[in-house]
Amino acid sequence: QVQLTESGGGLAQPGGSLRLSCADSGVIRGIFTTTWYRQAPGKEREMVASITNANVINYADFVKGRFAISRDHINNIVHLQMNSLKPEDTAVYYCNAKGGYPRVDAWGQGTQVFVSS
């Protein structure tokens, strides 16, 4: 079974940077997508960025030009480089892997990001 573990969260100042990592303990075959979501208190969960097994990438409008998602195929890690952080980026960030065969729909425990001066 695939298990995801997020790391890299913490406190950053506005304009600063953090790099989140989503480590996959298993192997996912075929076409699948790894997606970073975030959820702030009292708000709906929202998609931040996604990357497929073939490195096809999509970003939410509010992070375009600031965040970069990448996949380390050798180590089974998806990174989310977050630059030019804003207070609005404060949230718990979750990693999800979905698709493949046998079908996978796995979530990590989340990592907290605080952006504040």
Side-chain angles (χ1 to χ4, degrees), residues 5-116:
T5 304
E6 302 100 333
S7 62
L11 176 64
Q13 294 185 338
S17 298
L18 288 171
R19 192 186 196 193
L20 307 184
S21 297
C22 174
D24 179 6
S25 66
V27 176
I28 304 176
R29 294 188 170 199
I31 301 172
F32 66 95
T33 303
T34 305
T35 304
W36 283 100
Y37 295 89
R38 70 185 188 187
Q39 188 167 24
K43 296 185 177 180
E44 298 288 330
R45 185 186 67 191
E46 58 187 356
M47 190 273 283
V48 177
S50 66
I51 184 168
T52 73
N53 58 288
N55 290 343
V56 178
I57 294 170
N58 283 293
Y59 294 106
D61 288 341
F62 54 82
V63 302
K64 288 181 178 178
R66 300 191 297 124
F67 292 7
I69 191 170
S70 62
R71 184 184 297 278
D72 179 345
H73 292 272
I74 296 175
N75 295 296
N76 268 0
I77 302 173
V78 171
H79 300 287
L80 183 67
Q81 179 67 46
M82 305 189 296
N83 301 319
S84 302
L85 284 164
K86 305 175 181 179
E88 309 93 88
D89 295 320
T90 296
V92 178
Y93 285 71
Y94 298 92
C95 183
N96 169 260
K98 190 174 184 179
Y101 60 90
R103 186 179 182 274
V104 171
D105 189 357
W107 291 86
Q109 296 295 313
T111 185
Q112 176 72 61
V113 171
F114 292 98
V115 183
S116 176

